[in-house]
Amino acid sequence: MNILTIESQPYPDQKPGTSGLRKKVQVFQQAHYLQNFVQSIFQVASNLKGHTLVLGGDGRYYNTTAIQIILKMAAANGISKVLVGQDGLLSTPAASAVIRKYKAAGGIVLSASHNPGGPNEDFGIKFNISNGGPAPTSFTEAVYQLTREIREYHITDNDDIDLKHCGNVEMGAMIIEVIDPVSDYAELMSHLFDFNQIQTMIESGFRLRFDAMHAVTGPYARNILEHRLGAEPGTVMNAEPLEDFGGGHPDPNLVHAHELVELLSGISEFSFGAASDGDGDRNMIIGNNFFVTPSDSLAIMAANAHLLPGYKNGISGVARSMPTSAAVDRVADMLGIECHETPTGWKFFGNLLDANRITLCGEESFGSGSDHVREKDGLWAVLFWLNLIAIKQKSVEQIVREHWAKFGRNYYSRHDYEAIDSDVANGIMKQLRQQLRSFQGQQFGDLIIQLADDFCYTDPIDGSISEHQGIRILFEDGSRIIYRLSGTGTEGATLRVYLEKYEPDISKQDGDTQQELATLIDLANQFAAIREKTGRSVADVIT
Ligand code: VG1
Ligand code: CO
C-alpha cells in the first residue's frame, strides 16, 4: 500500500446544511470534490486517528463509489478500523446505533435522505460524532472553513474491496470489517419493545403494510417485521433498495407514499400502514382512513411511553423542533417534565439527550426518536406504534382521538414552495424580519399577535447560540405561523410555511385541517406576499 498525496483546489460551496452536505450527484463527481470534503472531516475529527470509524449509506447512486474512496482515504489518514455495512448499506439510525455499540470515534453516512436518487439526482454526506449523533454546527463550520483552503488530500493506491461479503479485510495497517447492517439494530429494537406481544397481535390477524420506498429500510423491515415478528411475506412493500429508489421520492408523506395510502383507504383489510425515507430516519404512521401527523405522533408517544418496556421508568423530558406543533408541550405540562424547543435539525437534540434532560424528541418533518440512539429513527417509531396498539388493543384512530379528547387537538399543516428563486426567497425572509416589530399586537378578526420574532436558540448544555432559525408569529390563542427556508434542498430555495391552531373543544376536533387553518393560510400569504413574490397561488407540497 502506498499513501499518495494528491494536489487539489478548494470548492466554494461545501457548507453543510440542516443535515450534512447535499448536492447533485454531478457536483460530487467533480474532480476531488468528495475527497476535499472527506479530508476536511478527517482533519477536524482528529480523534479518528488510531480509532474506529463507521461507514455506510442509503444505497443511492454513487454510494459504493464514495465508500471505496473514503475507505482508501481513511487508511491514508491513520484510522485503525472501519466498520462498513454490507453492500455499503447502513440506515442513519443503524449507523448511530453501531457507533454507540462499538464505541467508534465517529461515522460517515452517505445519504441525501428523502431527496430523489440517481445519476441526475441528489447525493449527500454527513458526519456523526462519537455519541452517534450528527456533528454540531461548530464542527460542520470548521469543516466548511477547511474546505475553503484545502490544497491536498491523502489516499492510498489500494484496489477496491469486496463489500458483498461480511468479514475482515486489511488495507495497510487499517482493518475493514464488513458488517451485517441489520443485526445490531434489530437486537436493540428487541430490547426496547415487547416483540412477543406484537407477534401475538399479528398472529391473531392484525394486518399491516410497511412501504420501504425502495430505500434502505427494506432489509431492516423484512428482518424485524416479517422474520422476527411473523408478519406475512409481502408486508414490506418496495423492499429492495434501488440506486434510484425506483424513480420516486423516498419521502414518507401522503403525497409520495400514495401507494400505501391507497391500501389503507376505504374498507381496508389492513389496520396499520407505515413508511420510511431514503436513509430510514423518518416515519409516517397511518391507520385505516386515518393519518397521524408527526407532531401528534410525538405527543402520543410522550403520553404513553411508560407503558412500553424500554421506557417503563417514565421519560425525563421531551424536545421538539420549533416548527413542530405544541401538542407535545401539553403532555409535558401534564407529566410535569421538561420540554425544550430547538431549531430544526436533529443535531440540536444531541446535547439534551446526552445530558439525560430528555428521553423523547421529534420534528414535524416525519421524525421522532429517543435516547436509544442519537438520530431520528423510522422503524423505531413504527415498532413503538405497533407495541402501543398491542397494549391498548385500540385502532390508530381511537388512540389519536382519545389523545385529542384529553389534551386538545393541534390542527397542523406545512406548506412548501419548492425550487423558488433564491433571491426571491431571501427577500421574503428579509422583509418579514423587517416587519417583526410592527406585527406585535396587531389584530386580524379574532386573532391577536402576541409575539413575532426570529427564533434564536441558546443550548442549555453548552451555551452555544443559534440565530435566525425561523420567523415565528405567535397568536394569543396558541395559533402560530412559522416561516423558514429549507437547508436540505439542492435546487433554488424552498420556503416552508408551518401553520397551527389549537382546538380544545372535542366537538370541533373532527374538522378538515386545511379548512380549519384557512384563515391562518390567508394571513401567512398576506404577511409574506407569497403570491406576488413567487407567482404561485398555492404551495407545491402540502403535508
Ligand atoms: C428537513 C426537515 C428537518 C429535518 C431535515 C433532515 O430540513 O425540515 O426537520 O431534520 O430535513 O431530515 P429542511 O432544512 O429542509 O427544512 V432527513 O430525513 O432529510 O435527514
Ligand atoms: Co432521512
Side-chain angles (χ1 to χ4, degrees):
M1 175 191 96
N2 294 307
I3 295 177
L4 313 174
T5 296
I6 310 285
E7 258 184 53
S8 183
Q9 296 287 321
Y11 287 91
D13 63 344
Q14 298 197 315
K15 191 176 171 68
T18 312
S19 177
L21 182 70
R22 289 188 195 174
K23 300 281 174 194
K24 291 282 173 214
V25 166
Q26 281 112 333
V27 174
F28 272 102
Q29 284 169 330
Q30 296 174 91
H32 316 309
Y33 191 91
L34 174 74
Q35 290 86 337
N36 280 4
F37 193 72
V38 172
Q39 184 64 46
S40 303
I41 289 176
F42 287 163
Q43 254 149 261
V44 177
S46 52
N47 62 325
L48 285 175
K49 217 173 217 163
H51 290 99
T52 302
L53 173 78
V54 172
L55 178 61
D58 64 10
R60 69 179 58 225
Y61 184 83
Y62 207 57
N63 189 49
T64 47
T65 311
I67 284 181
Q68 299 289 359
I69 293 170
I70 296 168
L71 285 172
K72 290 167 208 169
M73 291 186 65
N77 278 278
I79 287 165
S80 60
K81 185 171 185 181
V82 180
L83 299 172
V84 55
Q86 189 181 16
D87 292 319
L89 296 180
L90 267 180
S91 77
T92 287
S96 186
V98 170
I99 293 170
R100 294 170 69 77
K101 180 168 176 181
Y102 298 102
K103 303 197 165 26
I108 291 180
V109 182
L110 303 167
S111 172
S113 191
H114 56 288
N115 298 13
N120 300 313
E121 299 294 349
D122 293 354
F123 190 72
I125 173 168
K126 56 184 173 178
F127 184 73
N128 284 23
I129 55 176
S130 61
N131 74 354
T137 315
S138 53
F139 182 99
T140 53
E141 189 51 35
V143 170
Y144 173 54
Q145 292 310 332
L146 282 184
T147 63
R148 290 160 59 108
E149 48 202 49
I150 189 163
R151 295 282 162 198
E152 58 181 39
Y153 63 88
H154 311 294
I155 190 162
T156 69
D157 59 357
N158 288 85
D159 292 334
D160 284 358
I161 68 140
D162 169 23
L163 292 170
K164 289 249 161 286
H165 302 98
C166 292
N168 285 356
V169 196
E170 281 172 18
M171 187 178 272
M174 185 176 88
I175 295 169
I176 299 170
E177 186 179 345
V178 180
I179 60 167
D180 171 7
V182 176
S183 55
D184 292 315
Y185 177 82
E187 192 205 301
L188 176 58
M189 292 301 114
S190 73
H191 297 311
L192 296 174
F193 304 112
D194 188 338
F195 275 24
N196 288 332
Q197 198 174 16
I198 301 174
Q199 186 166 6
T200 305
M201 174 175 80
I202 289 173
E203 276 166 2
S204 72
F206 181 91
R207 295 186 70 205
L208 69 144
R209 283 290 178 265
F210 176 88
D211 191 348
M213 307 189 88
H214 286 304
V216 78
T217 46
Y220 294 85
R222 267 202 177 143
N223 178 300
I224 296 172
L225 299 176
E226 296 184 9
H227 303 160
R228 294 183 190 233
L229 296 173
E232 61 192 321
T235 295
V236 183
M237 304 156 54
N238 302 315
E240 281 327 311
L242 297 176
E243 288 198 329
D244 67 349
F245 307 119
H249 273 251
D251 193 354
N253 60 39
L254 293 176
V255 181
H256 295 302
H258 57 89
E259 193 186 343
L260 176 78
V261 174
E262 277 148 32
L263 283 180
L264 272 288
S265 300
I267 300 169
S268 172
E269 55 206 291
F270 304 109
S271 310
F272 183 84
S276 191
D277 71 331
D279 61 331
D281 56 0
R282 296 186 177 206
N283 75 88
M284 175 175 75
I285 304 294
I286 52 179
N288 188 203
N289 296 308
F290 195 84
F291 165 67
V292 187
T293 72
S295 297
D296 280 349
S297 179
L298 174 64
I300 290 164
M301 286 175 168
N304 294 291
H306 62 283
L307 302 173
L308 280 72
Y311 308 93
K312 62 176 187 296
N313 297 326
I315 53 176
S316 62
V318 290
R320 62 167 170 84
S321 66
M322 181 273 282
T324 302
S325 98
V328 74
D329 303 31
R330 296 182 185 275
V331 177
D333 233 25
M334 194 168 284
L335 294 176
I337 55 172
E338 287 186 32
C339 180
H340 298 267
E341 186 176 38
T342 58
T344 294
W346 212 261
K347 55 180 174 258
F348 295 102
F349 295 133
N351 280 348
L352 294 167
L353 288 164
D354 284 352
N356 272 329
R357 297 281 289 269
I358 60 168
T359 308
L360 296 182
C361 45
E363 297 189 280
E364 53 65 44
S365 54
F366 297 82
S368 39
S370 85
D371 59 1
H372 68 289
V373 287
R374 293 292 180 273
E375 287 276 7
K376 55 186 185 265
D377 190 342
L379 263 170
W380 168 86
V382 173
L383 293 167
F384 193 116
W385 269 92
L386 286 173
N387 204 158
L388 187 61
I389 294 166
I391 292 166
K392 294 206 172 225
Q393 299 286 321
K394 287 182 178 155
S395 71
V396 171
E397 177 167 356
Q398 278 171 316
I399 291 173
V400 177
R401 288 199 185 279
E402 285 177 12
H403 184 90
W404 290 343
K406 190 166 172 190
F407 293 94
R409 175 174 182 185
N410 291 66
Y411 283 103
Y412 188 83
S413 184
R414 184 174 103 184
H415 286 212
D416 291 335
Y417 298 82
E418 294 187 335
I420 54 181
D421 184 86
S422 295
D423 291 339
V424 170
N426 288 326
I428 290 175
M429 295 303 286
K430 190 173 165 206
Q431 199 183 346
L432 282 168
R433 256 178 220 121
Q434 286 164 348
Q435 282 171 275
L436 286 177
R437 237 167 241 256
S438 66
F439 279 146
Q440 217 96 355
Q442 278 197 51
Q443 181 161 5
F444 305 88
D446 297 339
L447 291 165
I448 301 168
I449 298 181
Q450 187 179 46
L451 178 82
D453 70 359
D454 189 353
F455 183 59
C456 173
Y457 178 66
T458 305
D459 186 301
I461 311 299
D462 65 17
S464 60
I465 294 173
S466 303
E467 292 180 292
H468 306 300
Q469 298 296 322
I471 303 289
R472 304 193 293 182
I473 299 180
L474 313 181
F475 297 88
E476 284 182 357
D477 70 347
S479 298
R480 303 194 308 162
I481 298 173
I482 315 286
Y483 304 85
R484 59 179 283 283
L485 299 184
S486 159
T488 58
T490 58
E491 257 177 76
T494 292
L495 172 68
R496 304 200 194 285
V497 184
Y498 310 80
L499 307 136
E500 173 177 4
K501 174 182 141 182
Y502 180 61
E503 183 50 78
D505 182 346
I506 188 167
S507 71
K508 295 182 185 157
Q509 290 176 351
D510 205 18
D512 170 79
T513 299
Q514 299 304 317
Q515 276 168 19
E516 294 293 330
L517 295 172
T519 309
L520 288 167
I521 294 169
D522 277 350
L523 283 177
N525 266 312
Q526 192 185 310
F527 294 160
I530 296 173
R531 246 166 245 148
E532 293 77 352
K533 290 192 171 144
T534 66
R536 300 188 195 179
S537 50
V538 284
D540 302 285
V541 178
I542 295 177
T543 49

